[in-house]
CSV table of all heavy atoms in Angstrom, one decimal:
chain,number,residue,atom,x,y,z
R,1,GLU,N,79.2,164.0,-7.5
R,1,GLU,CA,78.8,163.0,-6.6
R,1,GLU,C,77.4,162.4,-6.9
R,1,GLU,O,77.2,161.2,-6.5
R,1,GLU,CB,78.8,163.6,-5.1
R,1,GLU,CG,80.2,163.9,-4.6
R,1,GLU,CD,80.1,164.6,-3.3
R,1,GLU,OE1,79.1,165.1,-2.9
R,1,GLU,OE2,81.2,164.7,-2.6
R,2,ARG,N,76.6,163.1,-7.5
R,2,ARG,CA,75.3,162.6,-7.9
R,2,ARG,C,75.2,162.2,-9.3
R,2,ARG,O,74.2,162.0,-9.9
R,2,ARG,CB,74.2,163.7,-7.5
R,2,ARG,CG,74.0,163.9,-6.0
R,2,ARG,CD,73.5,165.2,-5.6
R,2,ARG,NE,73.4,165.3,-4.2
R,2,ARG,CZ,74.4,165.6,-3.4
R,2,ARG,NH1,75.6,165.9,-3.9
R,2,ARG,NH2,74.2,165.7,-2.1
R,3,ASN,N,76.4,162.0,-9.9
R,3,ASN,CA,76.5,161.4,-11.3
R,3,ASN,C,75.9,162.3,-12.4
R,3,ASN,O,75.4,161.8,-13.4
R,3,ASN,CB,75.9,160.0,-11.3
R,3,ASN,CG,76.6,159.0,-10.4
R,3,ASN,OD1,77.8,159.0,-10.4
R,3,ASN,ND2,75.9,158.3,-9.6
R,4,ALA,N,75.9,163.6,-12.2
R,4,ALA,CA,75.6,164.5,-13.3
R,4,ALA,C,76.7,164.4,-14.3
R,4,ALA,O,77.9,164.0,-14.0
R,4,ALA,CB,75.5,166.0,-12.8
R,5,THR,N,76.4,164.7,-15.6
R,5,THR,CA,77.4,164.7,-16.6
R,5,THR,C,78.2,166.0,-16.9
R,5,THR,O,79.2,165.9,-17.6
R,5,THR,CB,76.8,164.2,-17.9
R,5,THR,OG1,75.7,165.2,-18.3
R,5,THR,CG2,76.1,162.8,-17.7
R,6,GLY,N,77.6,167.1,-16.4
R,6,GLY,CA,78.3,168.3,-16.6
R,6,GLY,C,77.6,169.4,-15.8
R,6,GLY,O,76.4,169.2,-15.4
R,7,VAL,N,78.3,170.6,-15.6
R,7,VAL,CA,77.6,171.7,-14.9
R,7,VAL,C,77.8,173.0,-15.7
R,7,VAL,O,78.8,173.2,-16.3
R,7,VAL,CB,78.4,171.9,-13.5
R,7,VAL,CG1,77.7,173.1,-12.8
R,7,VAL,CG2,78.2,170.6,-12.7
R,8,ILE,N,76.7,173.8,-15.7
R,8,ILE,CA,76.7,175.1,-16.3
R,8,ILE,C,76.5,176.1,-15.2
R,8,ILE,O,75.5,175.9,-14.4
R,8,ILE,CB,75.6,175.2,-17.4
R,8,ILE,CG1,75.8,174.3,-18.5
R,8,ILE,CG2,75.6,176.7,-17.9
R,8,ILE,CD1,74.6,174.2,-19.5
R,9,LEU,N,77.3,177.1,-15.1
R,9,LEU,CA,77.1,178.1,-14.0
R,9,LEU,C,76.8,179.4,-14.6
R,9,LEU,O,77.3,179.8,-15.6
R,9,LEU,CB,78.4,178.2,-13.2
R,9,LEU,CG,78.9,177.0,-12.4
R,9,LEU,CD1,80.2,177.2,-11.8
R,9,LEU,CD2,77.8,176.6,-11.4
R,10,PHE,N,75.9,180.2,-13.9
R,10,PHE,CA,75.6,181.6,-14.4
R,10,PHE,C,75.4,182.5,-13.2
R,10,PHE,O,75.1,182.0,-12.1
R,10,PHE,CB,74.4,181.6,-15.3
R,10,PHE,CG,73.1,181.3,-14.5
R,10,PHE,CD1,72.3,182.4,-14.1
R,10,PHE,CD2,72.7,180.0,-14.3
R,10,PHE,CE1,71.1,182.2,-13.5
R,10,PHE,CE2,71.4,179.7,-13.6
R,10,PHE,CZ,70.7,180.9,-13.2
R,11,SER,N,75.6,183.7,-13.3
R,11,SER,CA,75.3,184.7,-12.3
R,11,SER,C,73.9,185.2,-12.5
R,11,SER,O,73.5,185.7,-13.5
R,11,SER,CB,76.3,185.9,-12.4
R,11,SER,OG,77.6,185.5,-12.2
R,12,ASP,N,73.1,185.1,-11.4
R,12,ASP,CA,71.7,185.5,-11.5
R,12,ASP,C,71.5,187.0,-11.3
R,12,ASP,O,72.1,187.5,-10.5
R,12,ASP,CB,70.9,184.7,-10.3
R,12,ASP,CG,69.5,184.8,-10.5
R,12,ASP,OD1,68.9,185.8,-10.9
R,12,ASP,OD2,68.8,183.8,-10.1
R,13,PRO,N,70.7,187.6,-12.2
R,13,PRO,CA,70.5,189.0,-12.1
R,13,PRO,C,70.1,189.4,-10.6
R,13,PRO,O,70.3,190.5,-10.2
R,13,PRO,CB,69.5,189.4,-13.1
R,13,PRO,CG,69.6,188.3,-14.1
R,13,PRO,CD,70.0,187.1,-13.4
R,14,ARG,N,69.3,188.5,-10.0
R,14,ARG,CA,68.9,188.8,-8.6
R,14,ARG,C,70.0,189.0,-7.7
R,14,ARG,O,69.9,189.7,-6.7
R,14,ARG,CB,68.0,187.6,-8.2
R,14,ARG,CG,67.3,187.8,-6.8
R,14,ARG,CD,66.5,186.6,-6.5
R,14,ARG,NE,65.8,186.8,-5.2
R,14,ARG,CZ,64.9,185.9,-4.7
R,14,ARG,NH1,64.6,184.9,-5.4
R,14,ARG,NH2,64.4,186.2,-3.5
R,15,ASP,N,71.2,188.5,-8.0
R,15,ASP,CA,72.4,188.7,-7.2
R,15,ASP,C,73.4,189.7,-7.7
R,15,ASP,O,74.1,190.2,-6.9
R,15,ASP,CB,73.1,187.3,-7.1
R,15,ASP,CG,72.3,186.2,-6.4
R,15,ASP,OD1,71.5,186.5,-5.4
R,15,ASP,OD2,72.3,185.1,-6.9
R,16,VAL,N,73.3,189.9,-9.1
R,16,VAL,CA,74.4,190.7,-9.6
R,16,VAL,C,73.9,191.9,-10.4
R,16,VAL,O,74.7,192.7,-11.0
R,16,VAL,CB,75.3,189.9,-10.6
R,16,VAL,CG1,76.1,188.8,-9.7
R,16,VAL,CG2,74.6,189.3,-11.7
R,17,ALA,N,72.6,192.1,-10.6
R,17,ALA,CA,72.0,193.2,-11.3
R,17,ALA,C,70.8,193.7,-10.6
R,17,ALA,O,69.7,193.7,-11.1
R,17,ALA,CB,71.8,192.9,-12.8
R,18,LEU,N,71.0,194.3,-9.4
R,18,LEU,CA,69.9,194.6,-8.5
R,18,LEU,C,69.0,195.8,-9.0
R,18,LEU,O,67.9,195.9,-8.5
R,18,LEU,CB,70.4,194.8,-7.1
R,18,LEU,CG,71.1,193.6,-6.4
R,18,LEU,CD1,71.4,194.0,-5.0
R,18,LEU,CD2,70.3,192.3,-6.6
R,19,GLU,N,69.5,196.6,-9.9
R,19,GLU,CA,68.7,197.7,-10.4
R,19,GLU,C,68.0,197.3,-11.7
R,19,GLU,O,67.3,198.2,-12.2
R,19,GLU,CB,69.7,198.9,-10.7
R,19,GLU,CG,70.3,199.4,-9.3
R,19,GLU,CD,71.2,200.6,-9.6
R,19,GLU,OE1,71.3,201.0,-10.7
R,19,GLU,OE2,71.9,201.0,-8.6
R,20,GLY,N,68.2,196.1,-12.2
R,20,GLY,CA,67.6,195.7,-13.5
R,20,GLY,C,68.6,195.3,-14.5
R,20,GLY,O,69.9,195.4,-14.3
R,21,VAL,N,68.2,194.8,-15.7
R,21,VAL,CA,69.2,194.3,-16.7
R,21,VAL,C,69.2,195.1,-18.0
R,21,VAL,O,69.9,194.7,-18.9
R,21,VAL,CB,68.8,192.8,-17.0
R,21,VAL,CG1,68.9,191.9,-15.8
R,21,VAL,CG2,67.4,192.8,-17.6
R,22,GLU,N,68.5,196.3,-18.0
R,22,GLU,CA,68.6,197.1,-19.1
R,22,GLU,C,69.9,197.8,-19.2
R,22,GLU,O,70.7,197.9,-18.2
R,22,GLU,CB,67.5,198.2,-19.1
R,22,GLU,CG,66.1,197.6,-19.1
R,22,GLU,CD,65.8,196.8,-20.4
R,22,GLU,OE1,66.2,197.3,-21.5
R,22,GLU,OE2,65.2,195.7,-20.3
R,23,PRO,N,70.4,198.2,-20.5
R,23,PRO,CA,71.7,198.7,-20.6
R,23,PRO,C,72.1,199.9,-19.6
R,23,PRO,O,73.2,199.9,-19.2
R,23,PRO,CB,71.7,199.3,-22.1
R,23,PRO,CG,70.7,198.4,-22.8
R,23,PRO,CD,69.6,198.1,-21.7
R,24,MET,N,71.1,200.7,-19.3
R,24,MET,CA,71.5,201.9,-18.4
R,24,MET,C,71.6,201.5,-17.0
R,24,MET,O,72.0,202.2,-16.1
R,24,MET,CB,70.5,203.0,-18.5
R,24,MET,CG,70.5,203.7,-19.9
R,24,MET,SD,72.2,204.3,-20.4
R,24,MET,CE,72.4,205.6,-19.0
């Protein structure tokens, strides 16, 4: 609606990795 040409979506670690982003 605001004439953007495209959208990229990602899941924020703040929402989906609350213990951190390290492998363990």
Side-chain angles (χ1 to χ4, degrees):
E1 288 174 346
R2 290 158 180 81
N3 296 314
T5 58
V7 179
I8 300 169
L9 297 177
F10 72 98
S11 298
D12 193 324
R14 185 176 181 178
D15 299 318
V16 297
L18 299 188
E19 295 177 6
V21 298
E22 297 301 319
M24 293 304 297

